[in-house]
Amino acid sequence: MFDYLPDELQRAEDSTAVADKDRVRGMYRHTRPATTTERQLLAHLGYTVPTDLDTVVSWPVGAGVRRRTWPQLETETTP
């Protein structure tokens, strides 16, 4: 899929990870609009990305592991 992300996308992903951690504050899950970078990466993987895509962010095993899911895409089969 990806050997590495281009610097611009990696910086955007790192920034989103920090913002998600700041946003959570004692919660284990929150929902936010998908970022431009997430939308680009999902499209690159072959998903048809809706304009109103939400990202569900959770920390299932603790603060060190962030999981992002897109429930709106769960019924779509990946190429």
Side-chain angles (χ1 to χ4, degrees), residues 1-52:
M1 302 284 173
F2 299 103
D3 290 329
Y4 65 91
L5 292 178
D7 290 342
E8 178 182 321
L9 291 178
Q10 187 61 60
R11 282 191 299 274
E13 281 290 282
D14 292 345
S15 177
T16 300
V18 170
D20 283 341
K21 188 172 182 177
D22 288 346
R23 191 177 291 126
V24 73
R25 299 188 192 225
M27 299 181 302
Y28 292 103
R29 174 184 165 130
H30 72 274
T31 301
R32 60 167 170 72
T35 66
T36 301
T37 303
E38 289 167 336
R39 298 172 63 76
Q40 284 181 295
L41 294 172
L42 289 165
H44 178 79
L45 291 172
Y47 286 96
T48 302
V49 181
T51 57
D52 61 344

